[in-house]
Amino acid sequence: MSSRNLIFLLAALEVLAILPIASFPALMPDFIALWNLTNTEAGWIAGIYYLGYMLVVTHAVMLTDRFDARLVFAAGAVLTGISTVGFGLLADGFWSGLLLRAIGGVGQAAVYMPGLRALTDRLQGGEQSRAVTFYTASYSIAVAASFSVTGLLGEWYGWRWSFAVVGLLSLAAGLLAWQILKPYQPSSAGKSAGGFALRPVLRNRDAMGYIIGYAAHGFELTAMRAWVTAFLVFVLAREPAVASLLPSATVLAAIVTLIGLPASLLGNELALRFGRRRVVITIMTISAVMGLGFGFTAWLPVWAVLLFCAIYFVFVCGDSGSLTSGMMAAAEPEHRASTMALHSSLGFGISVLGPLFVGFALDAAQYLAGGQTVVTWGIGLAVMGLGALIGPLALVRTGKALQSR
């Protein structure tokens, strides 16, 4: 199989395996009404996916040092699929929804980074950087597809059928990966496992800058993805005449999310041309500033809100591929699996807090204001920008430490 075909195959399998990721956020307004959830409870269900991910990802990535990453990927996709189908069949409230989404996150821990490892293990030299960026950027396709497929199936057939379908597609991705990808024997297979080496990774200032940046990026990104549909429902309700001419909030959220693919690819190309650290710091700073004001745009006409939302998401996603490829480039070869594991576990672990903190801020602001207003949404969503600011600060600090050596 050619390198190009391999990259496209892994990206396609990644998209199918990750399809369940935004299923709950896509229909969050419906679940809040159906299950009588508070914003904080909804934030928990949206964020628990990433907690399940965080708890297992280190072990899943370390397994790729000893076993073919395609097998880890396949197992994770199958577990994600089964838990998502189970959500469609069994979930009936906060606790059951929380548990099944957590299991789905556990499955995802064996999908994303092991899939990246399966790709890079089968490529050589200069092919890896753009392959890593394309693979990570394809994540945005998966999320956009998750929003749109879940939302449309939910509107046509109900949310239970919607979850069942995306779950089956994720399960199919695991079976296809196991069947289509050629076996690969890791160079460390059969050797005594050194386990997860935290200290060498923490001493790697260059890698740690990108890892902390990725965590801040994850906080902002997952919060945005979790709450954008509910925010757009609020915005559209303020102008019913205009809303009647537009697609549903779920479809609009999917369109906005899809922008993340070219944004991530463009960000990486700019990073290769002008310097990765400088470009990432610039993109993350602009994104954080826009995040601070995002919720307050509800005062504007619908078209202006959608335009701001699209531009904002360009910057939210513009650093994604560069942060991961920067981590991969900075990782010491003998500690690559450990570096990838910390990158993923910290990134997705902090991602749990994004939807939760926004939900908590919304509940607090709505309690003080006596209901949903532009100000309550402005305060709630500003949390995204505050979290994102940690990224450029970390990269600036580690950059100065490297220069002082």
Side-chain angles (χ1 to χ4, degrees), residues 31-382:
F31 285 113
I32 290 175
L34 181 64
W35 292 347
N36 195 27
L37 301 174
T38 65
N39 291 315
T40 302
E41 288 173 334
W44 265 115
I45 299 177
I48 198 69
Y49 207 75
Y50 303 100
L51 180 60
Y53 186 107
M54 179 193 69
L55 294 175
V56 177
V57 67
T58 297
H59 305 288
V61 175
M62 296 306 297
L63 282 174
T64 63
D65 268 351
R66 303 182 62 191
F67 304 101
D68 188 348
R70 101 183 196 282
L71 301 177
V72 181
F73 177 95
V78 168
L79 179 59
T80 299
I82 292 173
S83 67
T84 305
V85 173
F87 191 105
L89 295 174
L90 304 173
D92 60 359
F94 173 74
W95 289 109
S96 57
L98 192 74
L99 175 62
L100 288 164
R101 288 293 286 176
I103 296 172
V106 169
Q108 286 289 283
V111 169
Y112 183 52
M113 279 295 172
L116 177 60
R117 181 69 185 264
L119 177 61
T120 55
D121 278 347
R122 291 164 171 81
L123 296 175
Q124 301 295 326
E127 296 174 325
Q128 288 191 359
S129 178
R130 286 190 171 88
V132 168
T133 301
F134 188 82
Y135 179 89
T136 55
S138 298
Y139 194 94
S140 295
I141 293 181
V143 177
S146 182
F147 269 108
S148 55
V149 172
T150 304
L152 290 174
L153 288 176
E155 290 179 11
W156 295 340
Y157 304 109
W159 67 268
R160 292 192 183 276
W161 273 107
S162 179
F163 273 78
V165 170
V166 297
L168 288 173
L169 290 173
S170 180
L171 196 154
L175 299 178
L176 288 171
W178 178 58
Q179 285 290 327
I180 297 176
L181 290 176
K182 290 183 178 180
Y184 174 86
Q185 187 80 350
S187 58
S188 54
K191 299 179 181 179
S192 59
F196 177 57
L198 179 60
R199 289 185 179 180
V201 180
L202 293 178
R203 288 196 298 264
N204 187 337
R205 292 288 187 90
D206 194 10
M208 283 306 302
Y210 291 106
I211 289 171
I212 295 172
Y214 186 69
H217 160 80
F219 179 96
E220 181 183 32
L221 180 62
T222 55
M224 170 70 167
R225 285 171 173 165
W227 288 103
V228 64
T229 303
F231 175 64
L232 292 179
V233 167
F234 172 77
V235 170
L236 294 176
R238 290 170 56 82
E239 295 189 46
V242 177
S244 65
L245 303 175
L246 296 172
S248 68
T250 300
V251 174
L252 291 172
I255 294 171
V256 169
T257 304
L258 191 56
I259 294 172
L261 173 61
S264 184
L265 294 173
L266 177 60
N268 186 68
E269 293 302 317
L270 291 173
L272 292 174
R273 182 171 181 179
F274 299 107
R276 182 180 287 119
R277 188 179 299 272
R278 178 188 302 173
V279 169
V280 170
I281 289 172
T282 301
I283 291 174
M284 294 194 80
T285 302
I286 295 173
S287 177
V289 172
M290 294 187 74
L292 290 171
F294 179 47
F296 294 103
T297 63
W299 268 313
L300 301 174
V302 171
W303 67 266
V305 176
L306 294 175
L307 179 61
F308 186 97
C309 186
I311 296 173
Y312 175 39
F313 207 73
V314 167
F315 286 98
V316 171
C317 294
D319 54 9
S320 179
S322 297
L323 287 166
T324 300
S325 58
M327 173 276 299
M328 293 288 287
E332 298 169 347
E334 64 271 26
H335 300 300
R336 176 166 292 172
S338 295
T339 306
M340 291 174 67
L342 183 61
H343 180 81
S344 194
S345 60
L346 185 62
F348 281 81
I350 297 298
S351 295
V352 178
L353 303 179
L356 178 60
F357 280 19
V358 170
F360 179 79
L362 281 171
D363 277 338
Q366 287 178 19
Y367 175 78
L368 295 174
Q372 283 193 19
T373 67
V374 174
V375 173
T376 60
W377 276 105
I379 293 172
L381 296 184

